[in-house]
Amino acid sequence: MPLKDVTVTINIQKSSKLTGLGKPLILAKFTGDSTYKNYADPLDVAKDFGADTVVHKLAKALINQGNTAPSKIAIATYDPAAESAMTAADALRKFYDEDWYFVVSDTQVETEVKAIADVVEGKGVKLHGTTVTALEALTTLKGYNYDRTFAMLHTTVNEYAAEGLIGSVGSRDVGSITWKFKSINGLTPQQVTEDELKDIHALNGFAYVTKSGIPQTSEGKVLSGEYIDVIHSKDWIKINIEEAVQQVFVKNGKISYTDDGITLLANAVKSILKAAFDMGMIAEDSEGSPLYSVATVSRVDTPSSDRESRVYNGLSFTFELAGAIHEANIAGEIMI
């Protein structure tokens, strides 16, 4: 990740313009040096890679999603046949710190998809989407229990379900949407039975189906079973808090190791949590107040070793996710 002096760790406990995080990256096989380039139009991708290539089809799936599509995508290339051969995972590592959030690839080879997923999982930030064409492939991926990879099962040739979903949903305001119930331009709804869909969902995958006459995604989970919007929200909060606190360090001549200096850091965290609440990521109580809190340790209660090394470890926060409703069971009564 980029150089920084602030690290935020968020553990999700169940029970109880800012950075947008919407830009997709395509990993694309291409002869020559490994490069990274931004594109706003699939026609420009066709010029560089050819109109009948998988990378061009992926670009169209990402960009041709109407008003909610990303304004730009990025493409990173790799050449397995070069003297210094590269894989898709190698290119991903090389360009991981560039400005993108969702990664997709032009390969569906099982070992290569796993290698990409492993890189993203190891980094602990950003998300990977992939389309599989058979339940067996989904079964294999499910076995790795990835928190940062989601898979859609889609059997129509030359259609890219997960990639189209990223184009349709990924650039919307984080916290404003769930990834279930979403329509995808250019995608054919799959004809699956209720039992077949249950099998897909049991593996934490999902599909593109028709319900009540409307084509839509059947779920919105990563392979570990967590919801995509939860991971996306977690990353938004983590990255924006890191940036906000870093800005406090940069804009002030010095942050004194005093209670006033500690308050400056705490206020930066509060500002991001307030923004996250306003965007719909954080829940509210019965009176409409946001369910988050920020705690600090006063200077006098910090270890002298921390003060000597100029490290403050006493700032923490908690919040309750707003979540979303994905199903409803409604009881009715007929009066005779």
Short mmCIF file of all heavy atoms in Angstrom, two decimals, residues 56 76 83 128 132-133 138 154 156 166 182 186 196-197 249 268 285 312:
data_model
loop_
_atom_site.label_atom_id
_atom_site.label_comp_id
_atom_site.label_asym_id
_atom_site.label_seq_id
_atom_site.Cartn_x
_atom_site.Cartn_y
_atom_site.Cartn_z
N HIS A 56 -11.73 -6.33 -24.29
CA HIS A 56 -12.69 -5.35 -24.82
C HIS A 56 -14.10 -5.67 -24.34
O HIS A 56 -14.87 -4.77 -23.98
CB HIS A 56 -12.62 -5.33 -26.35
CG HIS A 56 -13.57 -4.35 -26.97
ND1 HIS A 56 -14.44 -4.69 -27.98
CD2 HIS A 56 -13.80 -3.04 -26.70
CE1 HIS A 56 -15.16 -3.63 -28.31
NE2 HIS A 56 -14.78 -2.62 -27.55
N ALA A 76 -4.33 -3.24 -16.60
CA ALA A 76 -2.94 -3.60 -16.36
C ALA A 76 -2.62 -4.84 -17.18
O ALA A 76 -3.38 -5.81 -17.16
CB ALA A 76 -2.70 -3.87 -14.87
N GLU A 83 10.25 -12.81 -21.89
CA GLU A 83 11.47 -13.35 -21.28
C GLU A 83 11.36 -13.32 -19.76
O GLU A 83 11.74 -14.26 -19.08
CB GLU A 83 12.68 -12.54 -21.75
CG GLU A 83 14.01 -13.10 -21.25
CD GLU A 83 15.20 -12.37 -21.84
OE1 GLU A 83 15.03 -11.68 -22.87
OE2 GLU A 83 16.28 -12.49 -21.25
N HIS A 128 -12.29 -8.40 -5.41
CA HIS A 128 -12.09 -9.16 -6.65
C HIS A 128 -13.42 -9.79 -7.05
O HIS A 128 -14.08 -10.43 -6.23
CB HIS A 128 -11.03 -10.24 -6.40
CG HIS A 128 -10.90 -11.25 -7.49
ND1 HIS A 128 -10.73 -12.61 -7.22
CD2 HIS A 128 -10.91 -11.14 -8.84
CE1 HIS A 128 -10.63 -13.26 -8.36
NE2 HIS A 128 -10.73 -12.40 -9.35
N VAL A 132 -17.99 -17.49 -13.00
CA VAL A 132 -17.73 -18.90 -13.24
C VAL A 132 -18.88 -19.48 -14.05
O VAL A 132 -20.00 -18.98 -14.01
CB VAL A 132 -17.55 -19.69 -11.92
CG1 VAL A 132 -16.36 -19.16 -11.15
CG2 VAL A 132 -18.81 -19.60 -11.06
N THR A 133 -18.59 -20.53 -14.79
CA THR A 133 -19.60 -21.10 -15.70
C THR A 133 -20.13 -22.45 -15.24
O THR A 133 -20.99 -23.02 -15.90
CB THR A 133 -19.02 -21.24 -17.12
OG1 THR A 133 -17.85 -22.07 -17.07
CG2 THR A 133 -18.64 -19.88 -17.69
N LEU A 138 -17.42 -23.01 -8.74
CA LEU A 138 -17.87 -22.26 -7.57
C LEU A 138 -17.60 -23.05 -6.29
O LEU A 138 -17.20 -22.47 -5.26
CB LEU A 138 -19.37 -21.96 -7.70
CG LEU A 138 -20.01 -21.13 -6.59
CD1 LEU A 138 -19.32 -19.78 -6.45
CD2 LEU A 138 -21.51 -20.94 -6.88
N HIS A 154 -22.67 -17.90 -14.21
CA HIS A 154 -23.36 -17.43 -15.42
C HIS A 154 -22.87 -18.26 -16.60
O HIS A 154 -21.66 -18.32 -16.86
CB HIS A 154 -23.05 -15.95 -15.65
CG HIS A 154 -23.98 -15.28 -16.61
ND1 HIS A 154 -25.25 -14.87 -16.26
CD2 HIS A 154 -23.84 -14.97 -17.92
CE1 HIS A 154 -25.84 -14.32 -17.30
NE2 HIS A 154 -25.00 -14.36 -18.33
N THR A 156 -24.06 -18.15 -19.97
CA THR A 156 -24.18 -17.60 -21.32
C THR A 156 -22.81 -17.19 -21.83
O THR A 156 -22.11 -16.41 -21.18
CB THR A 156 -25.14 -16.40 -21.34
OG1 THR A 156 -26.40 -16.79 -20.78
CG2 THR A 156 -25.35 -15.91 -22.77
N ILE A 166 -20.14 -5.09 -11.22
CA ILE A 166 -19.22 -4.06 -10.73
C ILE A 166 -19.45 -2.75 -11.47
O ILE A 166 -19.48 -1.67 -10.86
CB ILE A 166 -17.75 -4.53 -10.88
CG1 ILE A 166 -17.45 -5.65 -9.88
CG2 ILE A 166 -16.78 -3.36 -10.68
CD1 ILE A 166 -16.12 -6.33 -10.09
N LYS A 182 -30.07 -6.15 -8.18
CA LYS A 182 -29.56 -5.18 -9.14
C LYS A 182 -29.63 -5.69 -10.58
O LYS A 182 -29.32 -6.85 -10.85
CB LYS A 182 -28.12 -4.80 -8.80
CG LYS A 182 -27.98 -4.12 -7.45
CD LYS A 182 -28.80 -2.84 -7.38
CE LYS A 182 -28.77 -2.19 -6.01
NZ LYS A 182 -29.58 -2.89 -5.01
N GLY A 186 -27.01 -5.65 -20.68
CA GLY A 186 -26.31 -6.58 -21.57
C GLY A 186 -26.16 -7.98 -21.04
O GLY A 186 -25.40 -8.78 -21.60
N GLU A 196 -31.76 -25.27 -7.74
CA GLU A 196 -30.45 -24.92 -8.30
C GLU A 196 -29.94 -23.61 -7.70
O GLU A 196 -28.74 -23.48 -7.39
CB GLU A 196 -30.54 -24.82 -9.82
CG GLU A 196 -30.70 -26.16 -10.52
CD GLU A 196 -31.01 -26.02 -12.00
OE1 GLU A 196 -31.54 -24.95 -12.41
OE2 GLU A 196 -30.75 -26.97 -12.75
N LEU A 197 -30.83 -22.65 -7.52
CA LEU A 197 -30.42 -21.38 -6.93
C LEU A 197 -30.01 -21.56 -5.47
O LEU A 197 -29.04 -20.94 -5.01
CB LEU A 197 -31.55 -20.35 -7.04
CG LEU A 197 -31.17 -18.89 -6.75
CD1 LEU A 197 -30.04 -18.43 -7.66
CD2 LEU A 197 -32.39 -17.98 -6.89
N PHE A 249 -1.93 15.47 10.44
CA PHE A 249 -0.49 15.54 10.64
C PHE A 249 0.17 16.53 9.68
O PHE A 249 1.04 17.31 10.06
CB PHE A 249 0.15 14.16 10.45
CG PHE A 249 -0.10 13.20 11.57
CD1 PHE A 249 -0.57 11.92 11.32
CD2 PHE A 249 0.15 13.55 12.89
CE1 PHE A 249 -0.79 11.01 12.35
CE2 PHE A 249 -0.05 12.66 13.93
CZ PHE A 249 -0.54 11.39 13.66
N ALA A 268 -10.87 14.02 13.75
CA ALA A 268 -10.76 13.56 12.37
C ALA A 268 -11.49 12.24 12.17
O ALA A 268 -12.17 12.04 11.16
CB ALA A 268 -9.29 13.42 11.98
N ASP A 285 -30.06 4.88 16.25
CA ASP A 285 -30.90 4.37 17.32
C ASP A 285 -32.34 4.83 17.12
O ASP A 285 -32.66 5.46 16.11
CB ASP A 285 -30.36 4.77 18.69
CG ASP A 285 -30.35 6.29 18.91
OD1 ASP A 285 -31.06 7.02 18.19
OD2 ASP A 285 -29.63 6.76 19.82
N TYR A 312 1.07 7.13 19.22
CA TYR A 312 -0.14 7.15 20.04
C TYR A 312 -1.00 5.94 19.68
O TYR A 312 -1.42 5.78 18.52
CB TYR A 312 -0.93 8.44 19.81
CG TYR A 312 -2.20 8.51 20.66
CD1 TYR A 312 -2.11 8.62 22.04
CD2 TYR A 312 -3.46 8.44 20.07
CE1 TYR A 312 -3.25 8.66 22.83
CE2 TYR A 312 -4.60 8.49 20.85
CZ TYR A 312 -4.50 8.61 22.24
OH TYR A 312 -5.62 8.65 23.01
#
